[in-house]
Amino acid sequence: MTKLLVVLTFLFSVTSWSKPCKIEIYAKNYLLSDNIAKLSKSIIKKSTCAHSTNSEFMRFLITTNGSVSSSQISRIFKALSGKSVTITPKRITVHKLENYLTERLSFSKNWYIRELKSLNPKGVITLNNNENITVECPNCNYPGNKSIRIIIQNPVKNKNSYFMLNGKLQIKTMALVPRGIIQVDNQPLSKLMFKKKEVFVDNPANIFTNENALTFYKVNKPLNGKALVLSDLTPVSLVRAGTPTKIYLQTGSISLKSMATPLRSGKYGDTIQLRSTSNNKIIIGKVIDYNKVAIEL
């Protein structure tokens, strides 16, 4: 009799263990956070699964993007975790809200919605099957700080609910980023101090990208990890008043080199006057390098 009870208990345990547990979640989910504990409470409506399974499922769910059938989610989750879970409803939509808004609001492929902030404590905007989401952002036709209104429409109840978000509309571009801390030491910069990296900015015109011209500048404040912008730099004097410098004249197939004395100091790109050392005439040229000026005719 005792053996029979043990066998029955074992069979009952195996049957209970092998039976899939159930998780019911919202049909449409727009993520503001990746906090698993917070998202589990907000997205899961009902569950017969263990807490650890709920958390594991949520970690899996937030890696998905778009609309997919719940049966497909169940199959993939079982393949990854070895756990059988029945998911409802039949179709589920998951988006990171930043990515969703970027697709809806951006006017260029390099424009992105970033750094979203909301008073919503749930970390997610959830909708039922019969609800729809619309977005309002009147000034999202140019980069900068934005106020975005999310409208949740429920046509069955003839009711709308609203969420206000603050964020940034930024442009992705290539920039020069310091490899380490660069101190203010009055020394010219070099290529070796920087690496090229994609960054998000409000105005790419403010980014300094000419790595070949770095040696003509010094920093006016310590730099560490942020994209190099024009306001970070102070031009270095490449030619000095009264100090003879090399001058170059290139016109067609003719190339001439000589010496002249600058009448004032000049930085990279400056147009200055010089006095020729050969005939004492005043000539005009553009500073192109250390002690080098290109003569303009």
Side-chain angles (χ1 to χ4, degrees):
M1 184 66 179
T2 303
K3 290 183 178 180
L4 179 60
L5 287 173
V6 170
V7 171
L8 289 174
T9 302
F10 174 75
L11 290 175
F12 177 77
S13 300
V14 170
T15 303
S16 300
W17 176 82
S18 60
K19 185 178 180 181
C21 60
K22 297 180 180 180
I23 297 178
E24 180 185 354
I25 67 174
Y26 282 91
K28 303 171 186 177
N29 305 274
Y30 300 87
L31 309 178
L32 278 158
S33 168
D34 57 3
N35 184 302
I36 298 301
K38 182 186 292 187
L39 292 177
S40 295
K41 292 179 181 179
S42 302
I43 293 177
I44 296 176
K45 289 183 174 182
K46 299 176 184 177
S47 176
T48 61
C49 299
H51 176 75
S52 59
T53 302
N54 290 340
S55 298
E56 190 173 357
F57 172 72
M58 193 55 52
R59 279 191 289 271
F60 161 73
L61 185 68
I62 65 175
T63 64
T64 64
N65 180 64
S67 182
V68 64
S69 68
S70 57
S71 59
Q72 185 176 0
I73 289 179
S74 295
R75 286 196 301 272
I76 297 173
F77 181 66
K78 183 177 181 180
L80 294 174
S81 68
K83 297 178 180 179
S84 296
V85 179
T86 301
I87 311 296
T88 55
K90 291 183 178 180
R91 195 150 197 89
I92 294 167
T93 298
V94 180
H95 289 288
K96 285 184 170 57
L97 189 55
E98 283 187 357
N99 296 342
Y100 177 78
L101 293 179
T102 292
E103 293 177 4
R104 294 289 297 271
L105 298 175
S106 293
F107 290 83
S108 168
K109 65 179 181 179
N110 290 324
W111 291 27
Y112 292 81
I113 295 291
R114 303 184 70 248
E115 299 181 27
L116 285 177
K117 295 179 181 178
S118 170
L119 296 178
N120 178 7
K122 297 181 179 180
V124 61
I125 296 176
T126 53
L127 284 72
N128 291 310
N129 255 326
N130 60 339
E131 294 177 313
N132 298 303
I133 188 171
T134 59
V135 182
E136 290 184 353
C137 183
N139 62 346
C140 275
N141 57 341
Y142 58 90
N145 295 325
K146 305 299 173 186
S147 293
I148 303 168
R149 186 165 80 152
I150 304 294
I151 306 170
I152 309 301
Q153 300 171 324
N154 188 325
V156 175
K157 295 182 179 180
N158 194 26
K159 178 183 176 182
N160 292 343
S161 55
Y162 304 89
F163 292 91
M164 290 303 301
L165 303 170
N166 292 317
K168 291 183 177 181
L169 179 55
Q170 295 187 307
I171 301 172
K172 184 167 70 172
T173 187
M174 292 300 298
L176 298 173
V177 178
R179 294 182 182 274
I181 298 174
I182 299 178
Q183 300 289 359
V184 179
D185 58 8
N186 213 35
Q187 296 299 311
L189 300 171
S190 77
K191 289 183 183 181
L192 298 178
M193 296 178 176
F194 296 86
K195 59 184 176 182
K196 290 183 178 180
K197 183 180 178 181
E198 283 188 335
V199 297
F200 295 91
V201 296
D202 292 350
N203 186 1
N206 293 333
I207 301 296
F208 185 91
T209 57
N210 187 354
E211 61 179 348
N212 292 323
L214 282 169
T215 187
F216 305 140
Y217 296 88
K218 59 185 178 181
V219 296
N220 51 40
K221 61 183 178 183
L223 303 181
N224 183 19
K226 292 186 178 180
L228 184 65
V229 297
L230 295 172
S231 60
D232 293 333
L233 302 175
T234 298
V236 177
S237 289
L238 303 184
V239 298
R240 297 188 179 278
T243 301
T245 187
K246 297 176 183 178
I247 58 173
Y248 297 82
L249 173 61
Q250 181 75 47
T251 174
S253 60
I254 300 175
S255 179
L256 300 175
K257 299 179 183 179
S258 186
M259 297 292 292
T261 302
L263 300 184
R264 70 175 181 87
S265 298
K267 303 175 180 64
Y268 179 72
D270 283 353
T271 298
I272 62 171
Q273 290 184 328
L274 308 94
R275 188 180 300 277
S276 172
T277 55
S278 60
N279 57 21
N280 222 30
K281 289 180 61 176
I282 301 298
I283 52 180
I284 296 175
K286 180 178 288 187
V287 179
I288 59 173
D289 206 334
Y290 285 93
N291 294 317
K292 292 181 181 179
V293 176
I295 299 305
E296 299 177 342
L297 295 180

